[in-house]
Amino acid sequence: MINGRELIAYVSFYNEGRWEDIYDFIKQKKAVDKDEVKDISNKLNSEYITLLDEKYPNVFKKKLSKPPFTLFYKGDYSLILDSKYKRLSIVGSRKATKYGIEAVKKIIRELPSNYVIISGLAYGIDSIAHQTALECGLKTIAVLGSGINSPYPEVNLSLYNDIVANGGLIISEYPNLTKPQKENFIFRNRIIACLGDFLLVGEAYERSGTSTTISYALQCGNNVGCIPYPIGTNSMCNTYIKEGAYLIDSGKEIINIMNNESGSY
């Protein structure tokens, strides 16, 4: 007998984590090979949690219209569930400036030890957020837009390994060595936005992946803050602040805002 958990993991693996394909597969009740489904654990190179599991994050079910069917992971999964942690998502430009880098570092350095930094392991602000968290002894979670065993960009493989080695967590809805696809990175941003209790934009110059992440955060009912940029800078951060985002220039401001929020996983 195949149980629901095994079936979802198999369908996620079979469809390489593509949400729409998984949904259609389940909706159409396509036939599966029972032996192949049972053998799924031998094909997956990571641990996983499915939508049917007790430890699946309730926040995804409550706040996302398309919650991940399966979360493949490496590292300390308790970082998602443990109520002792405050989870801060940080996103920003891949072409980060010295100003943006130093501002993000400053803010993270001012956070207490129970803060978990969430980002996407990309170039620029993402990498700086993960690296600074590790330097400060904070836990960090990387949400991939590629296979759980295929970090992108490849140059961040050492950072990927450092996150796991230092008690952090890597998660992805894409199994094994699934190749990176542009649309997957945009789609994974909903996880970054929803998983954090607050979203900080470190640097932004155009409406792209960052604006999508902000939209997801607002849809989830989460607050958004931006680092302010000097007058004359063509910064989307300043635009977002004008539109109602919190102006954040210290860790203390984030702490005060998040201490006044309520919610649980």
Side-chain angles (χ1 to χ4, degrees):
M1 179 68 70
I2 300 172
N3 62 43
R5 182 177 193 270
E6 293 171 330
L7 179 61
I8 288 180
Y10 169 78
V11 176
S12 296
F13 173 80
Y14 180 87
N15 291 284
E16 295 187 318
R18 296 183 299 272
W19 198 94
E20 298 292 348
D21 291 344
I22 297 169
Y23 178 80
D24 289 342
F25 193 107
I26 295 173
K27 184 178 180 180
Q28 295 173 23
K29 298 180 180 180
K30 292 185 178 180
V32 297
D33 184 302
K34 293 182 180 180
D35 291 334
E36 189 172 350
V37 172
K38 286 291 185 181
D39 193 44
I40 190 63
S41 61
N42 296 325
K43 298 178 180 180
L44 295 174
N45 295 319
S46 69
E47 297 182 85
Y48 65 89
I49 293 287
T50 76
L51 193 63
L52 299 180
D53 289 317
E54 183 179 350
K55 291 186 177 181
Y56 184 89
N58 286 329
V59 68
F60 291 161
K61 296 179 182 179
K62 293 178 180 178
K63 296 186 176 183
L64 292 179
S65 60
K66 296 181 178 180
F69 285 99
T70 305
L71 286 175
F72 303 97
Y73 71 91
K74 288 191 173 185
D76 186 1
Y77 185 77
S78 72
L79 296 178
I80 290 180
L81 303 177
D82 197 326
S83 61
K84 74 180 179 183
Y85 294 115
K86 295 280 190 177
R87 285 164 279 266
L88 172 64
S89 297
I90 301 179
V91 297
S93 176
R94 286 172 169 77
K95 299 178 180 179
T97 63
K98 181 178 180 181
Y99 175 88
I101 290 171
E102 293 306 317
V104 168
K105 286 183 176 180
K106 172 186 180 295
I107 289 170
I108 293 176
R109 287 168 179 162
E110 295 171 352
L111 298 175
S113 60
N114 66 324
Y115 270 65
V116 176
I117 304 301
I118 303 165
S119 199
L121 203 72
Y123 289 115
I125 295 298
D126 286 24
S127 295
I128 292 300
H130 292 304
Q131 290 168 353
T132 307
L134 292 176
E135 291 168 3
C136 295
L138 301 182
K139 303 300 184 183
T140 185
I141 299 173
V143 185
L144 306 186
S146 54
I148 187 65
N149 296 304
S150 182
Y152 182 87
E154 293 182 7
V155 70
N156 276 345
L157 176 59
S158 61
L159 178 56
Y160 169 104
N161 290 329
D162 286 345
I163 290 172
V164 176
N166 286 278
L169 176 67
I170 309 289
I171 62 173
S172 178
E173 59 191 310
Y174 305 105
N176 291 12
L177 297 174
T178 302
K179 295 181 179 180
Q181 301 290 333
K182 182 178 180 180
E183 60 270 21
N184 291 351
F185 289 96
I186 297 296
F187 194 52
R188 69 87 193 266
N189 287 347
R190 78 198 194 286
I191 297 177
I192 295 175
C194 189
L195 194 57
D197 303 305
F198 185 90
L199 174 66
L200 175 66
V201 179
E203 188 165 5
Y205 294 101
E206 67 280 325
R207 294 187 182 276
S208 57
T210 297
S211 60
T212 303
T213 310
I214 290 174
S215 295
Y216 281 130
L218 295 176
Q219 290 169 22
C220 291
N222 291 343
N223 285 320
V224 176
C226 297
I227 293 172
Y229 276 70
I231 292 174
T233 304
N234 183 25
S235 170
M236 287 304 298
C237 282
N238 291 348
T239 300
Y240 295 136
I241 291 169
K242 291 177 183 178
E243 293 175 352
Y246 284 95
L247 188 158
I248 303 294
D249 60 8
S250 72
K252 183 178 180 180
E253 289 173 340
I254 290 177
I255 294 168
N256 289 339
I257 293 168
M258 292 178 66
N259 282 344
N260 289 326
E261 294 176 341
S262 61
S264 61
Y265 282 72

